[in-house]
Amino acid sequence: MIEVSNIRKEFRTPVVKQGRFSGLRTLFTREYRLKEAVRGISFQVEEGEFVGYIGPNGAGKSTTIKMLTGILHPTSGHVSIGGLSPHKARREVVRNLGVVFGQRSQLWWDLPVIDSFDILARMYGVREPEKEKRMRQFAELLDLESFWATPVRKLSLGQRMRADLAAAMLHDPDVLFLDEPTIGLDVNAKRNIRQFLKRLNTEFGKTILLTTHDMDDIEQLCRRVMVINDGQLSYDGTVRSLRDTIGLPTVITVTYRGDFHIPEGYRISKEAYEPELPIRLNIIAVEDHTVTIEVNRKEIHTLDILNLLAQWGELADVDMQDPDFEDVIHKVY
Ligand code: ADP
Ligand code: MG
């Protein structure tokens, strides 16, 4: 339903010179600096998917989203949403799109929140009963009731983001593009927004593309993640297999009831896995009755590890810590 083929975006910015008359000179001399923000990206998103779009600052995420929503026109390549070009058929495509830019509100700054909704409803031709129904629904899901009458500029960031999300959904689009909707929010506000997004996807079947710096957003919401690095996709697949691909170790801590015995050959070291052993694991600490090891779950089945550890003594407790997704991502960036 969303099809992106080999899109590129080049920005030409005039070079500003220093010195007297410099401003004037830039008007006449045509010196530009070229920046290729997006360098040939292709992907498809099916109906009902929830896809994370992540990458370091300046990688080209926002530029991509602007091309998908028709705000920017690709220098080359094609975008199609539901079979239409967001650039050529902007009005039609926009009817089926909701967009939230976390850094910039689409609400009218000085007006009470509710007035923005009235304006948007009229802009999108949402009829009164539908509008009422949806606003009641959003008020409940996003807890908007308490600030309907407050001017947008007086809202907290969390309130504003909730209002922006509801506004983006007012015309009931099938597709939602979110550019950092949780930026700067506290834990509570983030949780609210995540819950809402999750319901939009699972209950209402919305297709969502989410840009965020918060890896918890990705882990909790997305099955699939695309990583953009310096204008190009460096990964497109499930969150799960991204973890596996990177292969950071899982830390397992076992506590034994009474004595235990670590067999010959397993040494305590923080270095690489012991390659000659049948099960490659790394003992990183032994303390009283607990042994902490690192294993690569891509290489070894969890059950095999537990069976092995159970041979060393009588297990009382097992704790397993998968690698932090933040660390996994750090390896891809
Ligand atoms: P991200 O959202 O991943 O942080 P952006 O898509 O905003 O990255 O920007 C990608 C690159 O393109 C950056 O180097 C940025 O400075 C540049 N860029 C973005 N918008 C413009 C613009 N309007 N004019 C010139 N350069 C731009
Ligand atoms: Mg951005």
Side-chain angles (χ1 to χ4, degrees), residues 9-13 33 35-38 53-66 72 179-180 211 213 228 231:
K9 183 68 193 177
E10 237 173 50
F11 288 114
R12 279 154 53 96
T13 39
R33 200 163 44 90
K35 169 75 199 176
E36 224 183 329
V38 171
Y53 193 45
I54 60 175
N57 277 332
K61 303 179 294 294
S62 296
T63 304
T64 311
I65 291 195
K66 285 173 189 163
L72 287 176
D179 195 356
E180 313 223 20
T211 285
H213 274 103
I228 179 176

Side-chain angles (χ1 to χ4, degrees), residues 229-276:
N229 244 322
D230 193 19
Q232 291 179 311
L233 284 189
S234 59
Y235 181 84
D236 181 357
T238 62
V239 170
R240 171 90 235 171
S241 64
L242 177 60
R243 268 179 180 291
D244 292 348
T245 311
I246 299 303
L248 286 176
T250 297
V251 177
I252 301 176
T253 304
V254 288
T255 306
Y256 290 101
R257 220 184 290 282
D259 286 342
F260 61 94
H261 171 72
I262 299 176
E264 207 72 20
Y266 289 99
R267 279 179 292 124
I268 302 170
S269 98
K270 289 197 160 60
E271 305 300 304
Y273 297 108
E274 300 292 339
E276 69 276 14

